[in-house]
Structure formats: C-alpha cells, structure tokens
Amino acid sequence: MESIVASHPEEKHFTFDKIPDLAGKVAIVTGGNAGIGYITCRELARKNAHVFLLGRNIEKGQAAVEAIKSEIGNKDVEFMHLNLKSLKSVKESAENFLARNLPLHILINNAGITTETFSFTDDGIQEEFGVNHVGPFLFTKLLLPKIKASQPARIVNVSSMGHRRATGIEFETLNDPNAQDPKQRYRQSKLANVLFTDELNRRYLEGDQVYANTIHPGLVDTPMLRRNDLSFSETFLSSSISTEDGAITTLYCATSPEIEEKNYRGKYFVPFGIEGEKSSYTEDDDLAKRLWEFTENLINEKLSQKK
C-alpha cells in the first residue's frame, strides 16, 4: 500500500499576512462555524472581504459571525443556512444567495465529515459521499454562472491527502453498509473532490479567469483524529498542526496573486501553499467523467422525488 507521511515544511510558503486586500470581494465558506472554516472566514474578513459563513447549525453559525465581527470589526460577515445532508437545503441556500444579486469572487467548499457508523443523508445517499461530494457538487453548479460573471474568481475544494489512499469510486456499492470501512468511505469522498474539480475545469472553465483547485489542509488537530475506529498511530498524530495553520493552504488558493500569475487550475496543494501529488486515479479522465454523470443523475433523481 502507498505510504503517505503526514509531514509539513517548517518554512511556510504562504502566511496570513500575505493575503492581499479583499475590499469589494465576496466570499462564501461552507462549514464556517468552527475549525479551519472559521479561521478561513475570520482571515477573509480581516482583509475586508464580504464573507458569507455557511453551516447547518444556525445558533453556532450566528455565534461564529458575531465572534468574527467583534474581533475583526468587519460588519460584512453574514450567516446563511446550509445543510449539506439535504439537497433541498443546498438548492435553497444557493437560491438565497443568488437573490441577493451580489457578485461571487471566492467559493470555498470546506465542509467535510467522517462518520463512525454507516449512515445516510436526508436523500438516502451514503453520508460521507453525500455531504463531502454530492452537496458541494450541486452547490457549486448552482452558483457557477454567478462565479463566472464575477471573474476573476476562485473555487477551492477542501480535499485530503487521504484521497491518495482511495481505491477508486465504488459506484455500485456506494450505499452498501458492508462494502467499505470508515477510512475508505472518507477517502473515496475526498478523491471525488479532486475528480470533480478537474472535470469542472474541463467542462466549464477553459478560457475563463476562474481558478478551481483542491487542497489538503494538513493533519489538523481535531477530535476526529482521536477516534478509535480510525486508529491513527501516535507517530502520525504527533505531526498534526493547529487550526490556524490548517487554514493557510485554503487561503493561499482563495487569495494569493500567484494563483492567477501562474495560471494554477486543477492543481492540488498541500501545506503551506505548495503543489502536491495527486492520486493516480485523478489521471483517469473517464473516471472523472463517469463520476460527474453519476452525480448529476443522482441529484436529478433525488430532487425529483422531493417534488
């Protein structure tokens, strides 16, 4: 099995102080009420962006917005409800933003989960695949016309180095609780993030100033790392980084002038703003196309059942 070492360079290629002034820019960050999502929102707001912090828990989301406003002084920070477990909620959230008739310069699909037990979304999709891939796929597609109209713009999809350990996309057994262990379910969903980003570039963004990339934030120290079912070694855990450092690579892709200057699109970045190595599966254009069509058909099927 491929060996992946959880190591991070001592010298950071990118830091918060390198984020340019973002006055006049509008940003959406999913999963923004805690962890690296919260830090991402805070630092975007610090540089004067109009930030929409999206999350499922309304109380926690609103509290996060008020905390950022209090700390930074930027009043253009807003909460919007988004429940990635529900395609209906994803559609409503995108429509709510579009109704504001604002530009959209930065979209960060940050939300990601790994579950201890096999479970389903509200639409009957295996939860990790649904929340980590299907929901963000629909959300991005619904907002894409606005993003393209606002270019130059950025799309950042938060993946994981775990995508390199996935053994492909198990389309036929996606909803089979006996088919995959928790690690594989998560890795598969993170591989889907990278495949989606690459296919998005091919289908919609050639010739546009919309720069869509994926990132691995680093081994961020969260309670998830201590779960017994994931069984990470102490050596592996000892190389974890803070949530502050975990937000750096996302912010690099979302804001650094280098992205446009070097025409980075369809790239995969690791801490701290360094191009990393993708899974060999991401070289399979047919797999990316199949995933795209599978996801579109799945969304159409599930939304038609809600009518």
Side-chain angles (χ1 to χ4, degrees):
M1 181 177 288
E2 175 188 15
S3 176
I4 300 176
V5 179
S7 60
H8 309 100
E10 292 183 11
E11 184 176 347
K12 296 180 175 67
H13 175 68
F14 190 76
T15 50
F16 292 161
D17 61 348
K18 293 183 179 179
I19 301 172
D21 181 41
L22 300 173
K25 302 290 187 182
V26 179
I28 285 178
V29 182
T30 69
N33 67 291
I36 63 174
Y38 175 83
I39 303 299
T40 300
C41 289
R42 187 193 70 191
E43 296 307 313
L44 291 171
R46 192 188 302 278
K47 293 294 185 172
N48 305 308
H50 186 165
V51 180
F52 286 85
L53 183 158
L54 275 59
R56 180 169 58 92
N57 188 303
I58 296 173
E59 184 178 349
K60 289 182 179 179
Q62 291 174 338
V65 164
E66 293 308 313
I68 292 172
K69 286 182 178 180
S70 175
E71 180 179 352
I72 303 303
N74 182 346
K75 301 304 179 186
D76 286 330
V77 184
E78 303 183 48
F79 173 75
M80 287 185 66
H81 181 256
L82 170 66
N83 180 6
L84 288 168
K85 294 183 181 182
S86 163
L87 293 176
K88 181 174 180 287
S89 173
V90 172
K91 190 167 180 287
E92 289 174 350
S93 184
E95 290 170 348
N96 288 341
F97 176 80
L98 293 172
R100 296 287 298 273
N101 199 28
L102 292 168
L104 179 55
H105 305 98
I106 300 169
L107 171 61
I108 299 173
N109 288 308
N110 168 74
I113 63 165
T114 176
T115 59
E116 291 189 62
T117 57
F118 191 98
S119 52
F120 293 100
T121 67
D122 296 353
D123 302 287
I125 303 168
Q126 192 276 313
E127 191 167 357
E128 278 144 315
F129 191 80
V131 171
N132 297 350
H133 166 65
V134 181
F137 178 103
L138 175 60
F139 194 57
T140 303
K141 279 203 69 183
L142 292 172
L143 294 174
L144 194 59
K146 177 63 70 176
I147 295 169
K148 293 182 71 166
S150 308
Q151 59 185 291
R154 312 282 180 93
I155 299 171
V156 184
N157 291 324
V158 177
S159 180
S160 164
M161 68 175 180
H163 90 276
R164 292 173 52 199
R165 299 288 288 271
T167 55
I169 306 293
E170 305 297 333
F171 296 100
E172 290 78 13
T173 59
L174 183 67
N175 278 0
D176 183 350
N178 299 313
Q180 301 155 12
D181 64 25
K183 284 184 180 179
Q184 184 57 26
R185 294 197 303 265
Y186 178 74
R187 291 165 179 167
Q188 174 179 251
S189 71
K190 296 288 102 179
L191 173 60
N193 294 153
V194 183
L195 290 167
F196 161 56
T197 307
D198 290 351
E199 189 68 6
L200 176 67
N201 276 292
R202 282 190 287 268
R203 288 180 181 244
Y204 289 105
L205 302 181
E206 287 188 7
D208 286 313
Q209 286 185 288
V210 179
Y211 303 86
N213 295 287
T214 52
I215 69 106
H216 163 55
L219 186 66
V220 182
D221 191 3
T222 65
M224 182 194 80
L225 294 184
R226 312 292 167 175
R227 275 186 12 207
N228 292 331
D229 61 309
L230 296 178
S231 304
F232 291 123
S233 69
E234 285 302 318
T235 301
F236 188 78
L237 295 173
S238 67
S239 62
S240 64
I241 60 176
S242 68
T243 52
E244 300 267 338
D245 281 351
I248 288 176
T249 306
T250 299
L251 287 161
Y252 170 76
C253 286
T255 69
S256 174
E258 282 188 354
I259 299 297
E260 292 178 29
E261 291 166 0
K262 298 185 177 181
N263 195 31
Y264 285 141
R265 51 183 79 221
K267 302 295 186 182
Y268 166 70
F269 291 91
V270 298
F272 297 95
I274 299 170
E275 188 175 351
E277 183 182 351
K278 298 181 187 179
S279 162
S280 59
Y281 284 99
T282 64
E283 299 170 7
D284 187 342
D285 292 353
D286 289 337
L287 177 62
K289 180 181 178 182
R290 184 184 178 191
L291 175 65
W292 186 284
E293 293 171 353
F294 174 86
T295 307
E296 281 193 328
N297 291 337
L298 184 62
I299 289 169
N300 291 336
E301 172 194 334
K302 298 301 184 181
L303 285 178
S304 68
Q305 294 173 357
K306 298 290 184 180
K307 294 180 180 178

